[in-house]
Amino acid sequence: MYPILFERLFLKKTIRIILFLSLILSFQNSLSQNHPNLILTKQGVIDIKSQLGAIPIFDNTLDKIKKEVDANISEGSKVPIPKDMAGGYTHTQHKKNYNMMQNAGVLFQLLGDEKYAIFIRDMLMAYAKMYKSLPLHPQDKSYARGKLFWQCLNDANWLVYTSQAYDCIYDWLTDTETTYLNENLFKPFADFLSIESPQFFNRIHNHSTWGNVAVGMIGLVMDDNELVNRALYGLKEDNIDPNAKDNDGGFIKKQGQKVGFFANLDDPFSPNGYYTEGPYYQRYAMYPFMIFAQALNNKKPELKIFDYKDGILIKAVNALLNLTDEDGEFFPLNDAQKGMSYYSSSLVSALDIAYFYGSKDPALLSIAKEQNEVQLDETGLAVAKGLKDHLEKPFIKKSVELIDGENGDQGGVGILRYNKKDYTMALVIKYTSQGLSHGHYDKLSFSLYENGDEVLQDYGLARFVNIEQKNGGGYLKENKTWAKQTIAHNTIVQDQTSHFKGDFETGSQYHSIRYLFDASNPIFQILSAKENNAYPGTELQRTIAIVKEESFQKPYIIDVVKITSNATHQYDLPFYYFGQVISTNFKYEIPDVLTALGKDNGYQHLWKEASGISNGGTIEFTWLKNKKFYSITSATEQGDQLILARIGANDPEFNLRKDPVYIIRKTDSKSTVFVSIIEPHGSYSPVSESAKNTYSNIKDVKLFYNTENYTAFIMTYKFGIKKLFILSNNDASKETKHEINIDGKSYQWVGPYLFKTIK
Amino acid sequence: MYPILFERLFLKKTIRIILFLSLILSFQNSLSQNHPNLILTKQGVIDIKSQLGAIPIFDNTLDKIKKEVDANISEGSKVPIPKDMAGGYTHTQHKKNYNMMQNAGVLFQLLGDEKYAIFIRDMLMAYAKMYKSLPLHPQDKSYARGKLFWQCLNDANWLVYTSQAYDCIYDWLTDTETTYLNENLFKPFADFLSIESPQFFNRIHNHSTWGNVAVGMIGLVMDDNELVNRALYGLKEDNIDPNAKDNDGGFIKKQGQKVGFFANLDDPFSPNGYYTEGPYYQRYAMYPFMIFAQALNNKKPELKIFDYKDGILIKAVNALLNLTDEDGEFFPLNDAQKGMSYYSSSLVSALDIAYFYGSKDPALLSIAKEQNEVQLDETGLAVAKGLKDHLEKPFIKKSVELIDGENGDQGGVGILRYNKKDYTMALVIKYTSQGLSHGHYDKLSFSLYENGDEVLQDYGLARFVNIEQKNGGGYLKENKTWAKQTIAHNTIVQDQTSHFKGDFETGSQYHSIRYLFDASNPIFQILSAKENNAYPGTELQRTIAIVKEESFQKPYIIDVVKITSNATHQYDLPFYYFGQVISTNFKYEIPDVLTALGKDNGYQHLWKEASGISNGGTIEFTWLKNKKFYSITSATEQGDQLILARIGANDPEFNLRKDPVYIIRKTDSKSTVFVSIIEPHGSYSPVSESAKNTYSNIKDVKLFYNTENYTAFIMTYKFGIKKLFILSNNDASKETKHEINIDGKSYQWVGPYLFKTIK
C-alpha cells in the first residue's frame, strides 16, 4: 500500500539517531519531537505501563478496546468514497475508522505492538490520497457540508479523534510520512473546517466547539501555532451574513459576537456550569471541551485552562451529572434524544478528566464505578486507581438550581429532588434563555420523574439519530412542527400559539426570571419563576413545590400557574402522562371520528380523544402507569374544558410517539390561576392482583385569593385536614413580614410563602 | 368478645384429658381428634419444628408471614358487613381476613403462640354471628352471587383458605366452639356454595373447582363425609336450565355433563396437563386442585389422588410452567391478565406440592429458587431443603405441544422455542378448542416473544382485576366487544366477522386440528394446524416455522396461511406489533380525520391510521421496539391493502390500550395464501447512538405454487441466496416420498416439507 518496509525501517533508524542528537542539542525542539504529548504523554505512558495488570477497570477497558481494534484490523481497513447520510454505510465506516484509529493509537503506546501503528499509518495514507481531491459531500442537507460526512460537524469529530491517533504514532512515522500527511491531509482538513467553512467554525454553538477543537488539536500535534490560535480565538474575518441561519433555524452568528474556543467557554456556560443548549448537547460538547483542555494543559500549561472562568470546565461536568435522572439519563430539555446518559463515552472521558484535573472528588468515582470503564490515559488511570482503592463516595443528586447565561442572570433550570431509600422523585423546571438553535419554546415547563422513570414527560426531540431510514438519521420536520412547539411541553399555551410565536429571533432576546428557589426543607421544597415576554401583554408565573406529608405515602406536587393579562385569551395547561386512564370525576364525550386539536403550532399533531366541561368544582384525573397510580386534582372554574388528546395527527411518516396528554383549558380568561395537585399514590401487582391506595387523597382544591401581590389556595385531604398555601408574588425575601386579610380573617407570616393547616 | 379465659382453659384441660384417653381407647377416633390433618399434619408439624432455623427459604417465608400476621393482629380484626365490589373496602378486607387466618393457623401450629389461635377463633366467631342472617351480597352483577363477596367464587376462596385455619385450631377449640362454628358458619357456608348455588357448584369450570374444593376441604375438617362426597361427585340434582349462561356468556352446564371435583379433573385437563381455559385460569384453579389433592392424600390416601388420570395433577403443574415466557409470565391465551406469573402464591403452593408428591424433580427447585418462598408445610419444607442442599437443576423450557381436550384430541397449543445464551425466542400458536366461557375466538392465532418481551402480542383480557374504579375490578364490556373478538388477535379474519360469528355455542362444538409439530431440529422447527369450522365453507391452515440461518443474527419466522374457500371473501391478517414504524416499502395515505375500521366484531375499536395498496410485489414493514428492529416481509398480490390501525376507537371509558396493528388485507379472494417472514434484526443504542442492522435481510418473498396438496414459496436473502419452501398440505407423514413438477422442474423430498437453497 505504501513505501516498502525495509526503506521505512532504514529511514526510521536514521531519524531516531538524528532525533536523539537534536534532543541533546536543543530542548526547544522538545515540543515537536516528543510525541505523544497531546492526551497521552511520554511520562504518562511510562506510568501506565508500570501498572498494567494491576488496576482492574483500566485493564478491562484496555482489554475490551484491544478486542475491538484487533477484530477491526482482521477485517481489513476500508476507506470508502463518502456518499451516505447518517446511518448509511460510508458514514458509519468513516465514523468507525476514527474511533478505531484513536483506540489503536492508545494500544500502540501502551502495548508497543507496531501493528497498531501500521494500521493507523495505512489508513491515514488512504485518507491523504483521497482528501485533496474530495468534493463537498454529495448529500446537500447541511448548512455546512463536510467532505467525509454530510456535515462539517462529523468531519470535525473525525479530526478530533484522529489527531490523537496521529499524535500517538507521530514519532514512529518518518519525517517524509509526517510531512506528507501534514500537507496532504491534516492542514487542508483544518483549513476546510475553518477558513473554508466559517459559518460552521465561527459561531457560539456545539458545532463550532467541535470545529475549534478539531483545528486546535491537529494544530497542537503539528506544532502549528497559527492553527492553535485560530482554534482559540476564531477566524478574524468570516463575512457571515448576520441573517444566515443553520438547519435548525438558529442564527449563525450575532453581530459583534466573539468566536473561537474561549468564546465558546465564555458565552454558553453559566457561572455554575449549565450549558445553554441543554444537557443533551452539553454532553456532546463536553468531550471536545475536556479533551482539548487536557491537550492544552499538556502543551500550553501557561493557559491554565482548567482555572479558566473560575474552573468552569470542572463545574460543567458536575452540572451535567446533576442533570440526570436516577438511571443516569439526561433530562431531555430542548432538542434531546431520550436514553442518552452518563454512560456515554464522552462522559466517561469528561468525568475522568474532571476527576484528575479537578479536586479528585471521590463522588465522581462512584459514577465512574457505574460507567465501569475509563479513558485510557493518566486521567483514567487515576480514576481506576481510586476505584481500586475504594475511595468512591456516593454522588448524591440534591435539589439544585442551575442558572443560565454567561453571567448567570438569564433564568435557569430548577431541579427539586426528594430522596428516600428505594424512592426518588425529581422535578425539572425550565426557566432558561432560548438555548440557541436547539432550544424549545417552553418557558416554565416541567417534567416529573419517579425512580428514574418519566411520570410527566418532556417529549424531547423528533429524530432517530443515526437511523438511516428516518431522514438519514437527521432532524425530522416534526421536530419543528411538533417537538419545539410549546404545546409539546407541560406548560401554558395562550391562544394555541407557541411562546414568542415560535420565532427564534424573538425567543433569543429573552429569558424567564427566577423568582424563588428554596430547597432547604426537604419536605417542603419550592420554586417559582416568571415569564413576561412569551406572550406580550401577558405575565406568567409558575410556582411548584414538592410536599411530603407524613400521612401521604409519597410526596405530592403543588403546581400553581398565575396568569395576568391585559386581554382575554384561551389558556391550555397540558400534562403529558403515560399509561391508562383509570378514572375521572368529570364526564366527558368521545367523538365518533378523531380530528386534530388545531391547525398549527403543534396542535395539528394532537388527536382530540375526549373532552368534558368543568362544573366549577375540583376536578380529578387518575391514571395507572408502571403499576403505580397517579392523580391530578385541580381547582377549576365553571366552563373550563378538560381535554384528553394523543400525539400522532398529521404525522405522515409515523415519526411521532403516540403518547397521551390531559389538558386543562380555560377559555375567555384574562387573568386567572391554575392550581393542581399532582399526586403519585398506590400500586398494583399483576401477580397478587392487589390494588392498593388507588384513589387520590385530595378531596378538594380551591383558589382562595388572588391579587397582584398574593395568590392563595386551600385544599382538603380526604381524611379531613385542610391546608392553606399563600404565595407572595412580588417579594421573595426571607425576611419580609406579610399580613393579609381574607374574608375577615388575618394571616401573618414571614418569608415568601405560607403553608399551614387551618380549620 | 367470647367465653372468658379461665372458663376456656378449664374446659380445654378437661378436653385434653378426654382426648388423650379416647386416643388410647380408640384409633378410629383419630380422624376427627387429630387435627391438624388437612394440609399440615401432626407429624409434619413435628418434622418442621425440628428444623426451624436451619432451612433458609422456609425460615424466611415464615418470618415474612409472621410479620404480616403480627401487623394485622396489632391493627385489630375487622369483619365488616359485605357491601363493595372487588377492589372496594369490604371485599379487600374479607379477602385479607382469610389470608391472615390461613397464615395465622400455620403460625399457631409451627410457633405454638396462642395469640394466633385466639385471632382465628375470634374472627371465626364474628363471621359465625353474622353468617346465618346474611342476605345475598348487595351487588347483583354475578350469575352466582355470594354472601361475603359479590360472587360465590370469592366466598369459595374464603372457605378454602379458612378451612385450613380452622383445621389448625380445631383441637385447640372447645367442643362447644367447634359445634357452634360447624352449625352456624361452616355447614351453612358449604350448603350455600353447593345446594343453594347449583349454577356455581355443578359445572365444569374453574369456579366450580373452587366451589367443590371449598366444600370438600371443610367437609374433611369437620369429618363430614356427605360434604366430601358432594365435593368429589357434585350435586345429584341441580335443575340447571341447559340454556343458562354465566357472566362471560359461557353455558353453565352441558346436558349429561358429569360434575364435581373428579369431573373437573377429567374434562378440562388434557392427557399432558393442558387446562382448556388457558394458563391464566389454570394458574387460578391450580391452587384448589393441588391443595385439595394434598388434603385428600392426607385424609383419604386410598383415593391415590396424585395417581389419578395417570398423574394428571403433577403433569398439569409442568404444563403450566411451560406456558410461561422467559420471565415466568403466563402466555395470555384466552381471558388472561398480563403479568400474572409463576411468582403467584398459587404457583408457589402448586409447585411445592408437585415436587413433594411427584418425582422430586430437581428442575422444579430452580423455579422455587426464583420464587424465593415456599408453602409452610411438609411440601415447602422439602423444597426448601432441596434448595439448601443445592439439588436444583435448570428448568429448561423446550419447544412443546400441549394437546387440548379430555382425550387430547381437540387440537392444542404449540410452543416453539429457540434458546441460546442471552437470547430466547418463543412462539405460541393456538389451535385449541373453545376453552369454556373464558375462551377467545382466535383459532390459529400466534404471539411472539423475545427474551420474555412481547414482540407480537395477544391482547389478553379487557379488565383491571381488583381495581375498583374500573367496573369494580370485573370484566369490562370491551372484553366481549374487543378482547374476545378474532380481530384482536394475530389470526385470519374473514369478512370482518369473528370465528364462529363470535357465538359461544357454535365455537364450543369445534376445535382446530393439529397437522404437524416437529421441533426436533432446533434451527428449523415447524408447526402446522388447520381450522375448518370457524367460517363454514372456508378452510384455514396456518404453518409457522422458526428458522435460524447462520448468516442471520437471530432466527426468523416463516408464516404461511393457506385459505381455501368456496366463495369470495375479504381476509385480514393482523400483526399486533409495538413501538415505532421505521419504514415501509409501500406508499400509504394518512387520513385527516380518524374513523373506525368497521362497525362491529371488534373492528369498531380500531382507528384506521393509514392505508396503502400493494403493487403485487414483496411488501416490507419495519419497526423499532425496545431498541431492536423487526421486519415483516410478505408476498402480496396486486390490490392487497396494507392498513395501519390502532386500538382505542369507541372506547368511552378509556378501557383499552392504544396499541398499534399492521394488517394485510386481501379483498375479493376465494382461495389464497398469505406468506410472511417475520424477522427480528439489529439494535439501537441511545447511549452510543449507533444503529446496527436496521434493514431486513429478506429481499423478496414470492408464492411459488399452491394446490390442494402442496403450497410453496421462494424467498431471496439480500446477500443473494434463494430459498425454497414446500409444504405437503395433506400428508404429514415423515416417511412419505413426494415429487412435484413446477415450471418444468422436478422437486423430490421425503416428509411433510422441503426447505432448501435453490439457484
Side-chain angles (χ1 to χ4, degrees), chain B residues 382-531:
Chain B
V383 166
K385 278 167 78 175
L387 285 173
K388 197 198 167 192
D389 298 340
H390 304 295
L391 301 180
E392 72 272 18
K393 289 195 177 152
F395 187 97
I396 295 166
K397 293 174 198 160
K398 295 187 205 137
S399 296
V400 65
E401 186 178 41
L402 295 166
I403 50 179
D404 190 17
E406 180 169 2
N407 303 309
D409 54 4
Q410 301 189 14
V413 172
I415 308 172
L416 299 180
R417 299 189 194 255
Y418 176 86
N419 297 327
K420 231 183 102 175
K421 191 174 176 290
D422 300 330
Y423 181 82
T424 62
M425 177 186 274
L427 260 168
V428 186
I429 304 104
K430 178 185 164 187
Y431 42 100
T432 60
S433 65
Q434 181 64 27
L436 305 182
S437 62
H438 289 294
H440 287 194
Y441 300 93
D442 62 328
K443 299 300 186 211
L444 311 188
S445 74
F446 83 109
S447 51
L448 171 63
Y449 294 77
E450 271 194 313
N451 299 330
D453 296 327
E454 292 177 301
V455 174
L456 295 170
Q457 72 163 327
D458 185 319
Y459 188 88
L461 49 61
R463 179 182 180 184
F464 295 79
V465 182
N466 288 328
I467 297 181
E468 194 183 27
Q469 292 104 313
K470 290 287 193 189
N471 188 35
Y475 278 97
L476 301 166
K477 67 178 188 307
E478 289 77 12
N479 196 58
K480 189 167 184 218
T481 62
W482 166 253
K484 285 193 162 191
Q485 299 295 329
T486 308
I487 189 60
H489 304 80
N490 300 309
T491 189
I492 286 285
V493 185
Q494 176 179 298
D495 297 334
Q496 303 200 22
T497 58
S498 284
H499 296 172
F500 310 105
K501 292 187 178 151
D503 179 63
F504 180 68
E505 189 170 0
T506 314
S508 299
Q509 292 168 29
Y510 302 106
H511 58 82
S512 301
I513 301 160
R514 158 205 213 277
Y515 174 64
L516 170 65
F517 182 93
D518 184 355
S520 58
N521 177 3
I523 61 169
F524 193 94
Q525 303 180 44
I526 185 167
L527 176 158
S528 186
K530 300 181 184 189
E531 172 54 50

Side-chain angles (χ1 to χ4, degrees), chain A residues 275-514:
Chain A
Y275 184 70
T276 194
E277 297 192 41
Y280 177 75
Y281 277 97
Q282 178 167 1
R283 170 273 328 172
Y284 185 59
M286 256 3 258
Y287 182 72
F289 274 122
M290 297 301 278
I291 204 79
F292 190 44
Q294 183 176 0
L296 286 172
N297 196 72
N298 282 334
K299 298 204 67 162
K300 291 188 176 293
E302 66 277 12
L303 288 175
K304 295 191 173 165
I305 188 68
F306 286 108
D307 295 338
Y308 189 78
K309 202 175 162 180
D310 203 17
I312 191 65
L313 284 166
I314 309 295
K315 285 181 185 168
V317 173
N318 258 290
L320 195 45
L321 294 173
N322 271 301
L323 284 161
T324 60
D325 68 19
E326 196 62 15
D327 303 322
E329 295 180 11
F330 297 113
F331 298 128
L333 300 168
N334 294 330
D335 281 342
Q337 178 159 281
K338 290 184 183 176
M340 179 56 76
S341 73
Y342 59 49
Y343 295 97
S344 153
S345 62
S346 65
L347 263 283
V348 171
S349 173
L351 186 137
D352 292 359
I353 297 171
Y355 177 78
F356 188 75
Y357 293 106
S359 61
K360 305 273 192 307
D361 179 359
L364 293 181
L365 292 179
S366 71
I367 308 272
K369 191 175 182 180
E370 288 182 54
Q371 291 174 333
N372 200 27
E373 57 182 319
V374 292
Q375 178 159 283
L376 292 172
D377 64 5
E378 285 173 286
T379 70
L381 186 74
V383 166
K385 279 167 76 175
L387 286 173
K388 197 197 167 194
D389 297 341
H390 304 295
L391 302 180
E392 73 272 16
K393 288 195 177 151
F395 187 99
I396 295 165
K397 292 175 198 160
K398 295 186 204 138
S399 296
V400 65
E401 185 178 41
L402 294 166
I403 49 178
D404 190 17
E406 181 170 0
N407 302 310
D409 54 3
Q410 301 190 13
V413 172
I415 308 172
L416 298 181
R417 299 187 193 257
Y418 176 86
N419 297 326
K420 231 185 102 176
K421 192 172 175 291
D422 300 330
Y423 181 82
T424 64
M425 176 185 276
L427 261 169
V428 186
I429 304 105
K430 179 184 163 187
Y431 42 100
T432 60
S433 65
Q434 181 63 28
L436 304 182
S437 62
H438 289 294
H440 287 194
Y441 300 94
D442 62 329
K443 300 300 187 212
L444 311 187
S445 75
F446 83 108
S447 51
L448 171 63
Y449 294 77
E450 271 195 314
N451 299 330
D453 296 327
E454 292 177 302
V455 174
L456 295 170
Q457 71 162 329
D458 184 320
Y459 188 88
L461 49 61
R463 179 182 179 184
F464 296 80
V465 183
N466 288 327
I467 297 182
E468 194 183 27
Q469 292 104 312
K470 289 287 192 189
N471 187 34
Y475 278 97
L476 301 166
K477 66 178 189 307
E478 289 78 12
N479 197 58
K480 189 166 183 219
T481 61
W482 168 253
K484 286 193 163 192
Q485 299 296 330
T486 308
I487 189 60
H489 304 80
N490 299 312
T491 189
I492 285 286
V493 185
Q494 176 178 298
D495 297 334
Q496 304 201 22
T497 59
S498 284
H499 296 171
F500 311 105
K501 293 187 178 151
D503 179 62
F504 180 69
E505 190 170 359
T506 313
S508 299
Q509 291 168 31
Y510 303 105
H511 58 82
S512 301
I513 300 161
R514 156 204 215 278

Side-chain angles (χ1 to χ4, degrees), chain A residues 280 337 340 465-466 468-470 580-581 588 593-594 646 652 654-656 658 684 686-687 689 694-695, chain B residues 280 337 340 465-466 468-470 580-581 588 593-594 646 652 654 656 658 684 686-687 689 694-695:
Chain A
Y280 177 75
Q337 178 159 281
M340 179 56 76
V465 183
N466 288 327
E468 194 183 27
Q469 292 104 312
K470 289 287 192 189
Q580 195 84 29
V581 176
Y588 52 79
V593 300
L594 288 194
R646 188 171 301 272
F654 285 72
N655 286 336
L656 297 174
K658 314 295 188 190
Y684 186 71
V687 176
E689 294 188 332
T694 67
Y695 292 92
Chain B
Y280 177 75
Q337 179 160 279
M340 179 55 76
V465 182
N466 288 328
E468 194 183 27
Q469 292 104 313
K470 290 287 193 189
Q580 195 83 28
V581 176
Y588 53 79
V593 300
L594 288 195
R646 188 172 301 271
F654 285 72
L656 298 174
K658 314 295 188 190
Y684 186 72
V687 176
E689 295 189 331
T694 67
Y695 291 91

Side-chain angles (χ1 to χ4, degrees), chain A residues 472-630:
Chain A
Y475 278 97
L476 301 166
K477 66 178 189 307
E478 289 78 12
N479 197 58
K480 189 166 183 219
T481 61
W482 168 253
K484 286 193 163 192
Q485 299 296 330
T486 308
I487 189 60
H489 304 80
N490 299 312
T491 189
I492 285 286
V493 185
Q494 176 178 298
D495 297 334
Q496 304 201 22
T497 59
S498 284
H499 296 171
F500 311 105
K501 293 187 178 151
D503 179 62
F504 180 69
E505 190 170 359
T506 313
S508 299
Q509 291 168 31
Y510 303 105
H511 58 82
S512 301
I513 300 161
R514 156 204 215 278
Y515 173 65
L516 169 64
F517 182 93
D518 184 355
S520 57
N521 177 2
I523 62 168
F524 193 94
Q525 304 179 45
I526 186 167
L527 176 158
S528 185
K530 300 181 183 190
E531 172 53 51
N532 297 332
N533 300 293
Y535 298 114
T538 301
E539 294 181 359
L540 308 172
Q541 178 175 7
R542 187 169 214 162
T543 305
I544 288 188
I546 290 188
V547 184
K548 178 64 180 74
E549 293 270 47
E550 271 209 19
S551 45
F552 281 66
Q553 184 192 6
K554 299 177 186 176
Y556 63 76
I557 292 142
I558 292 174
D559 177 30
V560 180
V561 183
K562 176 182 171 67
I563 301 171
T564 312
S565 185
N566 58 18
T568 295
H569 299 287
Q570 172 190 294
Y571 301 107
D572 285 350
L573 183 58
F575 294 95
Y576 284 88
Y577 70 100
F578 288 104
Q580 195 84 29
V581 176
I582 288 298
S583 63
T584 66
N585 74 341
F586 55 89
K587 282 192 186 141
Y588 52 79
E589 300 288 326
I590 60 160
D592 290 334
V593 300
L594 288 194
T595 54
L597 200 56
K599 292 205 180 315
D600 45 23
N601 304 316
Y603 281 79
Q604 74 276 24
H605 290 299
L606 286 172
W607 293 120
K608 185 174 173 178
E609 291 189 328
S611 66
I613 306 280
S614 167
N615 58 9
T618 298
I619 288 299
E620 192 180 276
F621 175 74
T622 299
W623 73 96
L624 173 66
K625 172 65 183 171
N626 277 346
K627 304 172 192 166
K628 283 171 283 206
F629 295 90
Y630 301 90

